[in-house]
Amino acid sequence: MIDYRVRFRTNLVIAACGLAAFAVVPFVANSGLLFLAGLVAINIVFGLSWNFLFSGVGLLSFGHAMFFAGGAYGMALITRHVPEMPFLLALVLGAACGGLIALVFGVVALRRASGVYFAVLTLAFSELIHILITKTTFLGRNDGLTGIPRPVIELGFGTLNLTSATAYYYFIIIAMTLVAVMMWCFQNAPAGRLLQAIRQDQMRTAFLGTPIQGWQLTAFVISGTVAAFCGAVMVPFTQIASPEIAYWTVSTQPILFTLLGGAGHFWGPAVGAILFGAIDYGTRTMHGLSEITVGVLLLAVVLIIPGGLLGLLKRRRAAASKSTRAETAGERTSETEAGK
Amino acid sequence: MMYDIGLTVFNGLAWAMATFLVAAGLTLIFGILHILNFAHGGFFMIGAYVSYTVMLAFGAGLPLWVFMIGAMAAAVVVGLLGWAVDMFVFRRLRDVEDAYSLIATYALLLVCGGAVQLIWGLNYLSVMPPPSLNSVVFIGDVFMPTYTIFVILSGVVAYIGLELLINRTQIGQLIRVVAVDPWMARLLGLNVTRIYLVTVIFSFAMAGVAGALLMPNQSLSPELGGIFLLQAFGVVIVGGMGSIRGAFLAALLLGMIESFGTYLFPQYPGIFFLLALAVILLVKPSGIMGKEQTA
């Protein structure tokens, strides 16, 4: 058993290293790559929010796009109709939109469905929201809501101008790091351990007196809120909320990130999101190649290396230490035998 | 009023049978291997493209038999792909958690979409129905394209054929045995792996045929896989765990709901199917023909 504080420090260092790596990007890359890096940073936390549900409590969601889009559209509507609203409050309200969707859906769906049925229900509900967006004039139909301005934040002692893409990029990576660290803390707090217990053995945890559905709902709402926060942060960056972000292929993105990186590890989705961004960028001139690459990788992960990339590294390391241990153990037995 | 009702019922039937054609293979795999195959939409799409290529080779003004050759070619190609998929993917998914096998079939769907983009490109392609199916008939006042009637009849024929195959033939009996208890079937000396393989090939071939038959209604694009997939998923799940009859009834039910919903609220096509799906799943998660789950 490793001490919580040691693990917290290790993971804080990982987060800080990630932040530092992303902070270097504007100095070494052009604006196109900067844009991509910003989206990858958002995708990392989007993936974390999905894996929080999948590995955290054992719910498979195929509809995370509805939360992402909920946050994005909430944010876009607020900035268009209530421009005097402080930016950070608008972000929080945008995230709350996703939380609300998760609450309504979760109350109804978690009571009845589980496993594959739950997955299809999330898929159907998310598609419902996608269609509603494309048919509602208030939400811009197929064109989406465009021209979302980037903010200038009033601090007591001065203003923080985030209107340039680079400045807003820094805001993104700092916000995403904070959310990631908060999620790590929650997942390793007693509540997070309880969710883990529900995933591992639902019936036994229920026997111990845990209200399973209540905790599942809590996890669902938290995951939805974080996903919506990602959507809300993205909107001023891309300056548009378009219905494509509610399409079901967006729901499958965090699944790809998580499985490629490794579902069993907290930072798995982060590794996966970066890898996915790199594959997408590397194959951008060949239509179809990125899908094939990602699809084959994903198949390989499920069939051959169930732990994903990080799982593979972990296993390598475990195997290495095991073989050294076995060697020393072997020496010891031969010594004792020699002693006899 | 009568005219509207007749037309709405006709549209509902068309929706139902088109969806059933896609869902039939899906429900077969779901019932026997207990895998909800995301990739079905992808192989449906490959079937459509293969048949397109065959028809292109024969040139314009195609008679019905060329259309049928296209469908056969699609069945053979996609069936062979099914053989490969069973060998290399499904066989390894037996001991994998449900969530992971769902994700694995999604990965296959991605590969299908990518392959279609690489082979046939991103552009929209389209095919007219064969001339003999490209007219209309009037029953009363109701305007009915012969192609749509053809699709409805194909759906009914597919349903009757499947029912006969499953309930009246020896291979159907074996399939039912394996679906109920693969462990016991193996104990009795049946080659369960072979039966799984046959089922998968058959299911994939049906996906190919469905793609070929429904192609003239669609513009072919790499997104085609996703369009029918959700509808077919809905039909399979509402029908209940792998029940062919359930899927057929569910297709009719959802088709009518969708058609009448769209007739009453034309500004929201596609919504009523999803609403009905959500409501039915919430009221009876095991589907209309499914047995109550114990777990």
mmCIF file with all atom_site columns, all heavy atoms in Angstrom, chain A residues 324-335:
data_model
loop_
_atom_site.group_PDB
_atom_site.id
_atom_site.type_symbol
_atom_site.label_atom_id
_atom_site.label_alt_id
_atom_site.label_comp_id
_atom_site.label_asym_id
_atom_site.label_entity_id
_atom_site.label_seq_id
_atom_site.pdbx_PDB_ins_code
_atom_site.Cartn_x
_atom_site.Cartn_y
_atom_site.Cartn_z
_atom_site.occupancy
_atom_site.B_iso_or_equiv
_atom_site.pdbx_formal_charge
_atom_site.auth_seq_id
_atom_site.auth_comp_id
_atom_site.auth_asym_id
_atom_site.auth_atom_id
_atom_site.pdbx_PDB_model_num
ATOM 1  N N   . THR A 1 324 ? 13.857 -10.092 -12.166 1.00 0.00 ? 324 THR A N   1
ATOM 2  C CA  . THR A 1 324 ? 15.007 -9.878  -11.288 1.00 0.00 ? 324 THR A CA  1
ATOM 3  C C   . THR A 1 324 ? 14.751 -10.511 -9.935  1.00 0.00 ? 324 THR A C   1
ATOM 4  O O   . THR A 1 324 ? 15.629 -11.123 -9.341  1.00 0.00 ? 324 THR A O   1
ATOM 5  C CB  . THR A 1 324 ? 15.303 -8.370  -11.104 1.00 0.00 ? 324 THR A CB  1
ATOM 6  O OG1 . THR A 1 324 ? 14.080 -7.705  -10.811 1.00 0.00 ? 324 THR A OG1 1
ATOM 7  C CG2 . THR A 1 324 ? 15.952 -7.774  -12.316 1.00 0.00 ? 324 THR A CG2 1
ATOM 8  N N   . ARG A 1 325 ? 13.471 -10.369 -9.454  1.00 0.00 ? 325 ARG A N   1
ATOM 9  C CA  . ARG A 1 325 ? 13.137 -10.967 -8.177  1.00 0.00 ? 325 ARG A CA  1
ATOM 10 C C   . ARG A 1 325 ? 13.297 -12.496 -8.247  1.00 0.00 ? 325 ARG A C   1
ATOM 11 O O   . ARG A 1 325 ? 13.819 -13.122 -7.337  1.00 0.00 ? 325 ARG A O   1
ATOM 12 C CB  . ARG A 1 325 ? 11.719 -10.610 -7.766  1.00 0.00 ? 325 ARG A CB  1
ATOM 13 C CG  . ARG A 1 325 ? 11.664 -9.966  -6.378  1.00 0.00 ? 325 ARG A CG  1
ATOM 14 C CD  . ARG A 1 325 ? 10.226 -9.625  -6.016  1.00 0.00 ? 325 ARG A CD  1
ATOM 15 N NE  . ARG A 1 325 ? 9.632  -8.711  -6.978  1.00 0.00 ? 325 ARG A NE  1
ATOM 16 C CZ  . ARG A 1 325 ? 8.331  -8.656  -7.240  1.00 0.00 ? 325 ARG A CZ  1
ATOM 17 N NH1 . ARG A 1 325 ? 7.498  -9.499  -6.661  1.00 0.00 ? 325 ARG A NH1 1
ATOM 18 N NH2 . ARG A 1 325 ? 7.853  -7.794  -8.102  1.00 0.00 ? 325 ARG A NH2 1
ATOM 19 N N   . ALA A 1 326 ? 12.826 -13.053 -9.359  1.00 0.00 ? 326 ALA A N   1
ATOM 20 C CA  . ALA A 1 326 ? 12.918 -14.505 -9.518  1.00 0.00 ? 326 ALA A CA  1
ATOM 21 C C   . ALA A 1 326 ? 14.367 -14.948 -9.517  1.00 0.00 ? 326 ALA A C   1
ATOM 22 O O   . ALA A 1 326 ? 14.724 -15.959 -8.898  1.00 0.00 ? 326 ALA A O   1
ATOM 23 C CB  . ALA A 1 326 ? 12.236 -14.920 -10.822 1.00 0.00 ? 326 ALA A CB  1
ATOM 24 N N   . GLU A 1 327 ? 15.214 -14.135 -10.149 1.00 0.00 ? 327 GLU A N   1
ATOM 25 C CA  . GLU A 1 327 ? 16.637 -14.482 -10.176 1.00 0.00 ? 327 GLU A CA  1
ATOM 26 C C   . GLU A 1 327 ? 17.223 -14.519 -8.775  1.00 0.00 ? 327 GLU A C   1
ATOM 27 O O   . GLU A 1 327 ? 17.888 -15.478 -8.378  1.00 0.00 ? 327 GLU A O   1
ATOM 28 C CB  . GLU A 1 327 ? 17.409 -13.467 -11.025 1.00 0.00 ? 327 GLU A CB  1
ATOM 29 C CG  . GLU A 1 327 ? 17.442 -13.841 -12.497 1.00 0.00 ? 327 GLU A CG  1
ATOM 30 C CD  . GLU A 1 327 ? 17.894 -12.684 -13.348 1.00 0.00 ? 327 GLU A CD  1
ATOM 31 O OE1 . GLU A 1 327 ? 18.668 -11.841 -12.855 1.00 0.00 ? 327 GLU A OE1 1
ATOM 32 O OE2 . GLU A 1 327 ? 17.447 -12.629 -14.500 1.00 0.00 ? 327 GLU A OE2 1
ATOM 33 N N   . THR A 1 328 ? 16.909 -13.410 -7.999  1.00 0.00 ? 328 THR A N   1
ATOM 34 C CA  . THR A 1 328 ? 17.457 -13.385 -6.643  1.00 0.00 ? 328 THR A CA  1
ATOM 35 C C   . THR A 1 328 ? 16.898 -14.528 -5.818  1.00 0.00 ? 328 THR A C   1
ATOM 36 O O   . THR A 1 328 ? 17.609 -15.157 -5.051  1.00 0.00 ? 328 THR A O   1
ATOM 37 C CB  . THR A 1 328 ? 17.147 -12.035 -5.952  1.00 0.00 ? 328 THR A CB  1
ATOM 38 O OG1 . THR A 1 328 ? 15.784 -11.715 -6.202  1.00 0.00 ? 328 THR A OG1 1
ATOM 39 C CG2 . THR A 1 328 ? 18.048 -10.944 -6.448  1.00 0.00 ? 328 THR A CG2 1
ATOM 40 N N   . ALA A 1 329 ? 15.578 -14.801 -6.024  1.00 0.00 ? 329 ALA A N   1
ATOM 41 C CA  . ALA A 1 329 ? 14.964 -15.904 -5.284  1.00 0.00 ? 329 ALA A CA  1
ATOM 42 C C   . ALA A 1 329 ? 15.642 -17.223 -5.653  1.00 0.00 ? 329 ALA A C   1
ATOM 43 O O   . ALA A 1 329 ? 15.941 -18.058 -4.792  1.00 0.00 ? 329 ALA A O   1
ATOM 44 C CB  . ALA A 1 329 ? 13.467 -15.981 -5.579  1.00 0.00 ? 329 ALA A CB  1
ATOM 45 N N   . GLY A 1 330 ? 15.922 -17.376 -6.946  1.00 0.00 ? 330 GLY A N   1
ATOM 46 C CA  . GLY A 1 330 ? 16.576 -18.591 -7.415  1.00 0.00 ? 330 GLY A CA  1
ATOM 47 C C   . GLY A 1 330 ? 17.948 -18.762 -6.773  1.00 0.00 ? 330 GLY A C   1
ATOM 48 O O   . GLY A 1 330 ? 18.305 -19.839 -6.311  1.00 0.00 ? 330 GLY A O   1
ATOM 49 N N   . GLU A 1 331 ? 18.663 -17.631 -6.691  1.00 0.00 ? 331 GLU A N   1
ATOM 50 C CA  . GLU A 1 331 ? 19.990 -17.696 -6.065  1.00 0.00 ? 331 GLU A CA  1
ATOM 51 C C   . GLU A 1 331 ? 19.875 -18.152 -4.619  1.00 0.00 ? 331 GLU A C   1
ATOM 52 O O   . GLU A 1 331 ? 20.634 -18.978 -4.136  1.00 0.00 ? 331 GLU A O   1
ATOM 53 C CB  . GLU A 1 331 ? 20.660 -16.314 -6.112  1.00 0.00 ? 331 GLU A CB  1
ATOM 54 C CG  . GLU A 1 331 ? 21.323 -16.028 -7.455  1.00 0.00 ? 331 GLU A CG  1
ATOM 55 C CD  . GLU A 1 331 ? 21.615 -14.557 -7.635  1.00 0.00 ? 331 GLU A CD  1
ATOM 56 O OE1 . GLU A 1 331 ? 21.716 -13.830 -6.627  1.00 0.00 ? 331 GLU A OE1 1
ATOM 57 O OE2 . GLU A 1 331 ? 21.728 -14.142 -8.802  1.00 0.00 ? 331 GLU A OE2 1
ATOM 58 N N   . ARG A 1 332 ? 18.806 -17.559 -3.953  1.00 0.00 ? 332 ARG A N   1
ATOM 59 C CA  . ARG A 1 332 ? 18.636 -17.890 -2.549  1.00 0.00 ? 332 ARG A CA  1
ATOM 60 C C   . ARG A 1 332 ? 18.368 -19.394 -2.354  1.00 0.00 ? 332 ARG A C   1
ATOM 61 O O   . ARG A 1 332 ? 18.978 -20.021 -1.505  1.00 0.00 ? 332 ARG A O   1
ATOM 62 C CB  . ARG A 1 332 ? 17.481 -17.067 -1.965  1.00 0.00 ? 332 ARG A CB  1
ATOM 63 C CG  . ARG A 1 332 ? 17.925 -16.247 -0.768  1.00 0.00 ? 332 ARG A CG  1
ATOM 64 C CD  . ARG A 1 332 ? 16.802 -15.368 -0.259  1.00 0.00 ? 332 ARG A CD  1
ATOM 65 N NE  . ARG A 1 332 ? 16.857 -14.031 -0.825  1.00 0.00 ? 332 ARG A NE  1
ATOM 66 C CZ  . ARG A 1 332 ? 15.790 -13.270 -1.038  1.00 0.00 ? 332 ARG A CZ  1
ATOM 67 N NH1 . ARG A 1 332 ? 14.581 -13.749 -0.808  1.00 0.00 ? 332 ARG A NH1 1
ATOM 68 N NH2 . ARG A 1 332 ? 15.919 -12.066 -1.515  1.00 0.00 ? 332 ARG A NH2 1
ATOM 69 N N   . THR A 1 333 ? 17.476 -19.947 -3.187  1.00 0.00 ? 333 THR A N   1
ATOM 70 C CA  . THR A 1 333 ? 17.166 -21.378 -3.010  1.00 0.00 ? 333 THR A CA  1
ATOM 71 C C   . THR A 1 333 ? 18.411 -22.216 -3.271  1.00 0.00 ? 333 THR A C   1
ATOM 72 O O   . THR A 1 333 ? 18.675 -23.176 -2.551  1.00 0.00 ? 333 THR A O   1
ATOM 73 C CB  . THR A 1 333 ? 16.039 -21.840 -3.953  1.00 0.00 ? 333 THR A CB  1
ATOM 74 O OG1 . THR A 1 333 ? 16.212 -21.209 -5.199  1.00 0.00 ? 333 THR A OG1 1
ATOM 75 C CG2 . THR A 1 333 ? 14.677 -21.529 -3.383  1.00 0.00 ? 333 THR A CG2 1
ATOM 76 N N   . SER A 1 334 ? 19.168 -21.809 -4.274  1.00 0.00 ? 334 SER A N   1
ATOM 77 C CA  . SER A 1 334 ? 20.353 -22.620 -4.549  1.00 0.00 ? 334 SER A CA  1
ATOM 78 C C   . SER A 1 334 ? 21.340 -22.533 -3.380  1.00 0.00 ? 334 SER A C   1
ATOM 79 O O   . SER A 1 334 ? 22.002 -23.508 -3.039  1.00 0.00 ? 334 SER A O   1
ATOM 80 C CB  . SER A 1 334 ? 21.019 -22.173 -5.857  1.00 0.00 ? 334 SER A CB  1
ATOM 81 O OG  . SER A 1 334 ? 21.287 -20.797 -5.811  1.00 0.00 ? 334 SER A OG  1
ATOM 82 N N   . GLU A 1 335 ? 21.350 -21.310 -2.748  1.00 0.00 ? 335 GLU A N   1
ATOM 83 C CA  . GLU A 1 335 ? 22.228 -21.172 -1.583  1.00 0.00 ? 335 GLU A CA  1
ATOM 84 C C   . GLU A 1 335 ? 21.799 -22.101 -0.458  1.00 0.00 ? 335 GLU A C   1
ATOM 85 O O   . GLU A 1 335 ? 22.616 -22.801 0.141   1.00 0.00 ? 335 GLU A O   1
ATOM 86 C CB  . GLU A 1 335 ? 22.204 -19.718 -1.065  1.00 0.00 ? 335 GLU A CB  1
ATOM 87 C CG  . GLU A 1 335 ? 23.225 -18.821 -1.750  1.00 0.00 ? 335 GLU A CG  1
ATOM 88 C CD  . GLU A 1 335 ? 22.970 -17.355 -1.444  1.00 0.00 ? 335 GLU A CD  1
ATOM 89 O OE1 . GLU A 1 335 ? 22.355 -17.059 -0.403  1.00 0.00 ? 335 GLU A OE1 1
ATOM 90 O OE2 . GLU A 1 335 ? 23.384 -16.526 -2.265  1.00 0.00 ? 335 GLU A OE2 1
#
